[in-house]
Amino acid sequence: MRIAKVEEHHTIEEIDNLLKEYRTDAEVYIRLLYIRGLKTNLKSKDIAKVINKSPQICSKWLKKYNEEGLEGITSKRSKSGVKSKLNNEDLEKLRKILTLPGIYFTLEDARELIYLLFNVKYTPKQTWVTVRKKLNLSYGKPFINYSEQPEKHKAILKKN
């Protein structure tokens, strides 16, 4: 039987301290338990059974831990999915245009703007995700800003 090799990123004592630190994060806690078990010479299959995870999943955790250390098992970000067609620079440029004072854009306007500026065709859903989630822009409605008010505006409103 092949024994799983664990890189020496942390000692058992350091992992015990990390377990205390991550006790409220169940996912990371279980992964640390798995790594600690391997460091104490327990069999990978036995640890996987105790923590109720498949050996394949556990071996992926071990691979990430060996490659990246603690960051490999604490990272919440998956590297799966399609990469964004707009980089951070493009998003910042788009934000500046969409937040120009006095000009109000609908999502469809934003979609057309993205196509014109960056030659990227987004679906309405992806435009929503880009504008609302990535740029963190709200649904704020523009309102009329009256520049001229009658002198007796309060009196006029009371009459009506």
Side-chain angles (χ1 to χ4, degrees):
M1 183 189 297
R2 201 175 103 211
I3 297 174
K5 183 177 180 329
V6 183
E7 295 293 326
E8 291 297 323
H9 294 293
H10 301 90
T11 64
I12 292 177
E13 293 78 28
E14 290 171 333
I15 290 178
D16 288 340
N17 290 333
L18 289 169
L19 282 167
K20 289 175 188 171
E21 183 181 332
Y22 286 100
R23 71 175 182 262
T24 58
D25 189 340
E27 288 179 21
V28 177
Y29 189 82
I30 289 173
R31 293 170 187 176
L32 284 168
L33 281 176
Y34 174 73
I35 300 299
R36 189 185 188 290
L38 290 176
K39 283 190 163 281
T40 56
N41 297 324
L42 294 174
K43 292 180 183 175
S44 177
K45 196 174 184 179
D46 296 338
I47 303 168
K49 191 173 185 179
V50 169
I51 62 174
N52 198 25
K53 297 290 179 184
S54 74
Q56 293 83 5
I57 293 290
C58 293
S59 69
K60 285 181 183 179
W61 296 344
L62 177 61
K63 183 179 178 187
K64 284 185 136 204
Y65 178 78
N66 284 341
E67 290 172 357
E68 304 172 35
L70 183 62
E71 179 65 31
I73 58 173
T74 58
S75 176
K76 297 287 183 192
R77 221 149 175 254
S78 171
K79 291 186 173 59
S80 64
V82 178
K83 285 197 170 194
S84 177
K85 293 177 181 174
L86 299 179
N87 59 30
N88 290 340
E89 215 173 89
D90 295 340
L91 288 173
E92 194 54 41
K93 214 181 282 185
L94 182 63
R95 171 190 283 287
K96 284 180 182 173
I97 293 169
L98 291 177
T99 56
L100 286 171
I103 303 172
Y104 305 103
F105 293 93
T106 64
L107 283 174
E108 190 57 39
D109 295 337
R111 185 175 174 212
E112 290 173 18
L113 187 64
I114 291 169
Y115 181 70
L116 291 172
L117 289 175
F118 310 110
N119 201 25
V120 174
K121 274 194 171 183
Y122 273 159
T123 62
K125 168 73 173 159
Q126 187 58 44
T127 306
W128 183 90
V129 168
T130 301
V131 172
R132 302 288 184 235
K133 299 285 184 188
K134 289 184 181 179
L135 297 179
N136 201 21
L137 298 176
S138 68
Y139 286 102
K141 288 187 177 180
F143 56 91
I144 299 171
N145 188 6
Y146 294 104
S147 57
E148 296 178 18
Q149 284 183 342
E151 287 181 26
K152 299 176 184 176
H153 63 277
K154 287 185 180 178
I156 293 170
L157 285 173
K158 283 183 182 179
K159 286 181 185 176
N160 294 334

